[in-house]
Amino acid sequence: MTPRQIDLVRSSCAQVSILAHQPAAIFLDHLFASDASLRGELLDDDRLAAERLMRMLNSMVYLLDRPGELQGAFEVLGARLGDPVSTRRRQQAFTAALMKTLETCLQSSFTPDVREAWQALSSFVGQCLAQRVPELSLAAA
């Protein structure tokens, strides 16, 4: 990611964070609408999941200028997720839900540059997961 993309992700994340729990609820709605099976796989309590999601997002954004640490965190996550096909499906569902959430929360502030910055971050996350779960690159083909 470029320094400008990092700035765009951080500033847009700060805008979304001001909305408190609303973005997490919107995200979960989009996520479960795109893949209802994730509800049973990922959580017992939507509120707790929303809090975890916001913590994970803030941590990820905090580490953007330290890609080695961010990569390590996602490699560990990739190892926990296991099955490459399920991991790829989850990543795609999470990315789609995140983009819809950002678009909903940021509205006119969700410019093409901001979208591109978040897509760059999503691509980086996918690469990190694929490092730990090499079959992901085969599953994506």
Side-chain angles (χ1 to χ4, degrees), residues 15 24-25 27 36 45 83:
Q15 286 177 284
F27 173 83
D45 179 352
D83 174 38

Side-chain angles (χ1 to χ4, degrees), residues 63-75 124 128:
L63 291 173
L64 285 176
D65 56 355
R66 293 183 271 180
E69 289 180 46
L70 186 58
Q71 181 176 356
F74 279 105
E75 286 177 1
F124 176 76
C128 292

Side-chain angles (χ1 to χ4, degrees), residues 61-97:
V61 169
Y62 177 76
L63 291 173
L64 285 176
D65 56 355
R66 293 183 271 180
E69 289 180 46
L70 186 58
Q71 181 176 356
F74 279 105
E75 286 177 1
V76 169
L77 177 62
R80 280 194 226 158
L81 292 176
D83 174 38
V85 175
S86 294
T87 300
R88 180 75 177 154
R89 180 180 53 85
R90 287 179 188 148
Q91 181 203 359
Q92 290 171 337
F94 272 80
T95 298

Side-chain angles (χ1 to χ4, degrees), residues 4-5 7-9 11-12 15 99 102-119:
R4 171 135 170 78
Q5 287 175 324
D7 289 343
L8 288 170
V9 167
S11 63
S12 59
Q15 286 177 284
M99 291 302 182
L102 292 166
E103 185 174 9
T104 300
C105 293
L106 295 171
Q107 298 176 8
S108 64
S109 296
F110 194 56
T111 64
D113 286 346
V114 172
R115 175 183 294 278
E116 185 179 311
W118 280 96
Q119 287 173 331

Side-chain angles (χ1 to χ4, degrees), residues 47-58:
R47 187 176 180 159
L48 182 58
E51 290 173 14
R52 280 190 215 142
L53 168 71
M54 294 312 291
R55 277 197 310 268
M56 181 183 78
L57 184 62
N58 288 326

